[in-house]
Amino acid sequence: ARPAGGPPPSSQQNSIPLPSMLLIRARDSTRTPVERRRSPPGWKAFSMQIPANTWAGIALATFILLLGAVALYVFTSNITLRKTGFFGGIILLAICVVANIFASIATRYSTSSTDAVIIVPSTLLSTSPRVPKDRSEEALLLHEGTVVQIIDSVTTRIDSTSTKWYDVQVDNNNRAWINGNAIERI
């Protein structure tokens, strides 16, 4: 039986006590923004172990070797060399295709980050894409080094100056607008 007015027993067993949660947040805040960045799962992580340019170089080298294997198959009359050219060409073609796919994945993942880090000592986030006019438009105060996820962006024009504002998400539950000069993509 559960106590009157208390939460069900299953939620008491699965919840993290407040001191433990504070310790987890303290440990997370000591890591750099790059360390906190999410890593891709499985084979995408493997493709990220080598830079995209290296994968492209591997693809180019295997393609050149593939052309040599095809030439060996076509222009040689020795049956052993023809078999070597044929089966070697198939293996080199597979390596070339996989290297191209990995180069594409590595390029896409490294150039399409939605994560950003606060680069000013402190900044005030707003409920709308403009400088807060009063306390009701202030959403959050964030400090340098805080990692945010960019959701959307908009450019506002006041007089002759235009300012880029980003709709960002902090800690998976807080969304607000931040001035584009206060963050840098990572």
Side-chain angles (χ1 to χ4, degrees):
R2 79 178 170 147
S10 62
S11 68
Q12 288 176 348
Q13 294 170 352
N14 294 334
S15 65
I16 299 174
L18 183 59
S20 297
M21 190 57 127
L22 293 174
L23 181 63
I24 291 169
R25 286 187 179 161
R27 285 183 185 161
D28 191 48
S29 67
T30 61
R31 296 186 332 193
T32 65
V34 174
E35 290 174 330
R36 283 185 290 217
R37 191 171 180 188
R38 295 176 302 277
S39 61
W43 53 274
K44 287 184 181 179
F46 175 73
S47 70
M48 295 297 299
Q49 296 298 317
I50 299 175
N53 288 342
T54 305
W55 282 119
I58 291 169
L60 181 63
T62 55
F63 183 74
I64 292 170
L65 291 172
L66 171 64
L67 292 177
V70 169
L72 187 65
Y73 176 76
V74 171
F75 298 117
T76 303
S77 59
N78 184 344
I79 195 75
T80 306
L81 290 177
R82 286 179 60 100
K83 285 183 179 181
T84 302
F86 180 78
F87 291 111
I90 291 174
I91 292 169
L92 288 169
L93 179 64
I95 293 171
C96 182
V97 168
V98 168
N100 274 305
I101 291 170
F102 282 175
S104 175
I105 290 169
T107 300
R108 188 176 331 120
Y109 188 77
S110 66
T111 59
S112 65
S113 174
T114 59
D115 292 340
V117 64
I118 307 292
I119 58 172
V120 295
S122 65
T123 185
L124 193 59
L125 276 66
S126 174
T127 57
S128 60
R130 64 175 183 222
V131 176
K133 293 181 179 179
D134 57 21
R135 302 239 342 130
S136 67
E137 291 184 356
E138 295 176 0
L140 295 167
L141 176 66
L142 295 180
H143 298 283
E144 184 176 13
T146 304
V147 176
V148 295
Q149 183 179 15
I150 298 173
I151 307 294
D152 196 8
S153 66
V154 66
T155 302
T156 60
R157 181 168 278 264
I158 299 175
D159 296 329
S160 63
T161 61
S162 61
T163 307
K164 190 159 196 164
W165 288 84
Y166 291 99
D167 182 14
V168 296
Q169 185 170 354
V170 185
D171 296 333
N172 293 329
N173 56 1
N174 295 319
R175 278 183 68 176
W177 291 90
I178 188 170
N179 189 319
N181 297 328
I183 63 173
E184 182 176 315
R185 288 181 185 259
I186 54 173

